[in-house]
Amino acid sequence: MGGDMEHLSIGEFARTSGLTPKALRLYDELDLLRPDRVDPLTGYRWYAPAQLDRACLVARLRLIGMPLARIREVASAPAGVAADQVRTYWRQVEADTASRRDIVASVVEHLRTKETIMQISGPTLTARSAWRLGQGARAAQQDALHAGGCLFVVADGFGPHGSPVPAALAVEAFAAVDSPADDPWSATDGDPAAALLAATGEAGRAITAEAAGLADPYHFGSTVTAALLVGSTLFSAHVGDSRLWLVRDGRAEQLTRDHTVVAALIEEGRLTEDEARSHEDRSLLNRALVPAGTGGHSDAGPDLATTEVRPGDRLVLTGDGVHAVLATDHLAALLTREGDPDAVAQEIADAVEAAGAPDNYALVVVDLADPADA
């Protein structure tokens, strides 16, 4: 295509810089990142290796949500001036966030005055579950899970290898909320959501205590996704990028939102799905259970949600060693497959292994049925 040894093709440049070919074409049109040479016959773009620094800077600034017009100013400025511009931009972001925090507090207070007490509906559905926990290519197992009478949990830990790992600490804290299937209220004191919130706090305290003896407590923590079935209502608590799925009428719906930097930017329309898939920081968490006082996001609290469920529904919890490895369409086909939980769980595990299982992986599959049909 008219290339040479001194240039990178648009595909090579995209892979190296963490941008996508689509983004590079857009940045060319916006005069943000022009190719070094364009083939006069084919229009094919070629980039010089020296342009990688600018491209990587653009990718990082996109990650923090900086508008393209402002990125152009920063990328064109001398290093010292650019640093001041980035610092100024972020100060404004923090000020805007503080203002929005006050608005949020006002809205929440207003809505609480209209809050009604949720009634737990219907008899507790019968839950049949199966799980798989694999080490994959990792040197140690740092995922953990729980599949009990009415509580199901998946956690993905990070930090130094050893025991207990943070995921195990998180799961242990949540397991105290579980109850026998025929006595679903015994561990919740009549408030399932409050019980999950308390378990999240207990998990954070356990992780904080364990980290006290570590040389590097700043990279120690866990994600956690928990689902508690009470009556025909599913209560969930979620922190991080593990996921809870609801399969109904042949369709899989993700009930949780990933707490990653790129996921937030996608939701805001600041980053495309294509950019996110190839971004070098695509797994960077912005919320997780981490030791208190380490500057992390342990004080953000979990996402709490309630979902009405019915006989025939399937719940699936996955760690990112599952959904980060399998393509979205492939995973959806596996989640919606007919069969009992054990067969479905095994097929998902087999698919992860067939894809190379580069990470630890954990999953729980739960099928719900009417107690009268049990």
Side-chain angles (χ1 to χ4, degrees):
M1 294 186 188
D4 56 60
M5 298 298 292
E6 297 179 357
H7 286 84
L8 299 172
S9 70
I10 188 171
E12 294 168 331
F13 193 77
R15 287 190 295 274
T16 306
S17 65
L19 297 167
T20 65
K22 181 179 179 180
L24 289 172
R25 288 189 285 270
L26 172 63
Y27 299 160
D28 181 8
E29 295 170 4
L30 297 175
D31 197 24
L32 178 60
L33 186 60
R34 294 281 194 183
D36 189 60
R37 185 164 71 83
V38 178
D39 190 292
L41 296 177
T42 65
Y44 201 80
R45 296 166 172 86
W46 296 90
Y47 295 81
Q51 293 181 279
L52 281 170
D53 281 348
R54 182 182 177 97
C56 290
L57 175 61
V58 170
R60 299 291 287 182
L61 294 177
R62 283 285 281 162
L63 189 63
I64 67 170
M66 184 177 286
L68 291 175
R70 200 151 183 174
I71 290 176
R72 185 188 297 109
E73 295 177 10
V74 173
S76 301
V81 175
D84 289 338
Q85 290 175 335
V86 173
R87 190 179 297 112
T88 297
Y89 166 76
W90 194 248
R91 283 174 178 159
Q92 187 58 47
V93 169
E94 291 180 323
D96 292 343
T97 300
S99 297
R100 289 196 295 268
R101 187 181 298 117
D102 292 340
I103 296 172
V104 167
S106 175
V107 171
V108 169
E109 184 62 28
H110 173 71
L111 293 174
R112 276 180 175 165
T113 63
K114 299 184 176 183
E115 188 176 24
T116 58
I117 299 174
M118 171 173 285
Q119 300 296 320
I120 304 302
S121 61
T124 298
L125 300 178
T126 298
R128 293 186 302 148
S129 66
W131 55 270
R132 295 294 185 273
L133 186 65
Q135 186 167 320
R138 295 290 190 183
Q141 176 59 268
Q142 292 192 290
D143 283 7
L145 58 79
H146 174 88
C150 59
L151 177 77
F152 310 94
V153 187
V154 162
D156 180 0
F158 50 90
H161 301 323
S163 182
V165 294
L169 296 173
V171 167
E172 182 180 0
F174 275 88
V177 178
D178 203 0
S179 305
D182 59 353
D183 186 17
W185 288 99
S186 62
T188 65
D189 291 330
D191 192 340
L196 290 176
L197 183 61
T200 307
E202 182 58 35
R205 286 187 287 275
I207 288 172
T208 298
E210 183 65 25
L214 297 177
D216 180 17
Y218 293 89
H219 299 92
F220 185 78
S222 181
T223 70
V224 66
T225 299
L228 176 64
L229 180 65
V230 182
S232 298
T233 303
L234 185 73
F235 296 83
S236 61
H238 166 69
V239 181
D241 62 352
S242 297
R243 293 179 180 176
L244 171 62
W245 308 82
L246 172 65
V247 178
R248 176 179 291 170
D249 299 330
R251 180 177 176 272
E253 176 188 1
Q254 184 180 332
L255 296 182
T256 53
R257 288 184 172 89
D258 293 352
H259 295 151
T260 61
V261 173
V262 296
L265 294 178
I266 290 171
E267 189 169 5
E268 295 171 5
R270 297 184 180 185
L271 204 65
T272 67
E273 292 278 0
D274 285 342
E275 288 177 306
R277 274 193 290 270
S278 61
H279 205 288
E280 61 180 344
D281 292 321
R282 59 189 175 274
S283 299
L284 183 62
L285 295 167
N286 56 18
R287 284 169 66 184
L289 295 176
V290 295
T294 57
H297 302 272
S298 59
D299 59 348
D303 289 346
L304 297 173
T306 57
T307 306
E308 293 304 313
V309 290
R310 61 195 190 202
D313 285 349
R314 171 178 291 160
L315 310 172
V316 184
L317 294 87
T318 59
D320 75 339
V322 175
H323 52 258
V325 172
L326 301 179
T328 302
D329 290 348
H330 186 192
L331 179 56
L334 293 170
L335 297 180
T336 57
R337 225 176 144 81
E338 292 186 7
D340 63 28
D342 190 69
V344 173
Q346 188 59 52
E347 286 200 58
I348 296 172
D350 288 345
V352 172
E353 292 287 351
D359 196 357
N360 300 152
Y361 61 89
L363 65 123
V364 180
V365 180
V366 187
D367 281 357
L368 304 179
D370 192 310
D373 298 331

